[in-house]
Amino acid sequence: MLHLAEALNFSGRKVVAVQAALPFPVVHGRSLRDTLHTQQQALPWKPLSSGGEQQVSRCFAQSVVLRGICKEKPSSCPGKRPASTLQASETEEEILQLYLQTLFPGAFSTSHVLEQPCPTLPPYPQFFSSLLTKQGLISEEPLSSSSAAVESIPVVTALQSAPVLHAVLHGLYKELRRLDTRRWASFFAAGVEEEDFREALHDLRTLADCYKTHFEDDESEDEADSD
């Protein structure tokens, strides 16, 4: 994980945010191509890291892994002109890669698609919707109440170096700066020097600024004025 985070960061950045969809919303009988096409500009995941919802098209670099997607059969109409770029893609990896390029133009993206789903057999908690099949796919019709528990689900996860981390790190810096170190004598008695603490605080703010873009400039200036 450390090496992957390092590979996704540059220009002084060191932290990545985590996104996931569990399960990844795939309707039974539909392909990855159809699923991503219906997503349009919506993100197919939710943030697991603090910092709020991520803005589309704002990402420096990311690594995305999608599990539990079967390979699509080749098109039966080879001479037909594709309706979209996704339709022109041949493999699931190409479909996902082009989708990411559309959502995050200019960002460095790597993607992997694996057929093996994430197993959810006991003791995995069964908190899933009753609309999910045993394979974790969305059913277009209500399932029988006597249906067995969900045995596996498709999952998508993303590690991202993104501007949303500016708010996370800067917020942490502000909280630490409010500490009255004179009230924590036992903390510094453990071996931490006041100068080292201040230096670490400065490094944290510098790291936060590495994730700042022009979208965050105005907000940061307002915060500085209020301080």
Side-chain angles (χ1 to χ4, degrees):
M1 186 68 70
L2 175 62
H3 294 307
L4 181 55
E6 290 178 348
L8 293 175
N9 282 301
F10 43 87
S11 300
R13 305 182 186 109
K14 300 179 181 179
V15 184
V16 292
V18 183
Q19 322 281 340
L22 191 155
F24 178 65
V26 180
V27 177
H28 179 69
R30 295 189 182 180
S31 65
L32 175 62
R33 193 190 312 268
D34 297 332
T35 300
L36 294 180
H37 181 71
T38 58
Q39 290 281 340
Q40 297 297 328
Q41 295 297 315
L43 291 172
W45 49 59
K46 294 293 183 180
L48 300 184
S49 303
S50 60
E53 293 289 340
Q54 177 190 15
Q55 298 295 322
V56 178
S57 304
R58 296 178 63 187
C59 176
F60 304 121
Q62 62 184 340
S63 175
V64 180
V65 177
L66 176 59
R67 294 182 56 179
I69 298 297
C70 297
K71 291 186 177 180
E72 195 174 338
K73 294 181 180 180
S75 173
S76 58
C77 303
K80 185 178 179 180
R81 184 177 180 179
S84 66
T85 307
L86 287 178
Q87 296 293 334
S89 305
E90 296 183 357
T91 67
E92 281 66 27
E93 286 81 4
E94 291 179 350
I95 294 172
L96 180 58
Q97 187 69 22
L98 286 172
Y99 177 74
L100 295 175
Q101 291 176 359
T102 301
L103 282 182
F104 304 96
F108 171 75
S109 301
T110 63
S111 58
H112 302 277
V113 179
L114 309 176
E115 289 191 48
Q116 182 180 8
C118 177
T120 56
L121 296 173
Y124 200 96
Q126 291 295 315
F127 49 67
F128 303 107
S129 167
S130 59
L131 294 176
L132 291 187
T133 66
K134 292 182 179 180
Q135 293 73 37
L137 305 178
I138 301 174
S139 174
E140 294 182 329
E141 298 180 359
L143 300 174
S144 171
S145 58
S146 60
S147 298
V150 177
E151 298 178 354
S152 63
I153 54 173
V155 176
V156 62
T157 57
L159 293 179
Q160 294 182 326
S161 174
V164 68
L165 289 166
H166 168 73
V168 178
L169 297 171
H170 191 71
L172 178 59
Y173 161 78
K174 291 174 64 178
E175 289 295 326
L176 292 174
R177 192 181 60 176
R178 293 193 184 103
L179 290 178
D180 184 359
T181 55
R182 293 171 297 181
R183 300 178 56 186
W184 299 88
S186 59
F187 177 73
F188 292 102
V192 179
E193 298 291 339
E194 175 75 19
E195 184 178 349
D196 293 338
F197 176 77
R198 294 302 169 188
E199 182 179 353
L201 201 58
H202 172 75
D203 291 343
L204 180 59
R205 179 166 187 172
T206 301
L207 179 61
D209 289 342
C210 290
Y211 292 88
K212 190 194 312 182
T213 65
H214 64 279
F215 292 100
E216 285 81 19
D217 286 341
D218 294 338
E219 177 183 353
S220 297
E221 290 177 0
D222 294 340
E223 292 175 347
D225 294 339
S226 63
D227 294 340

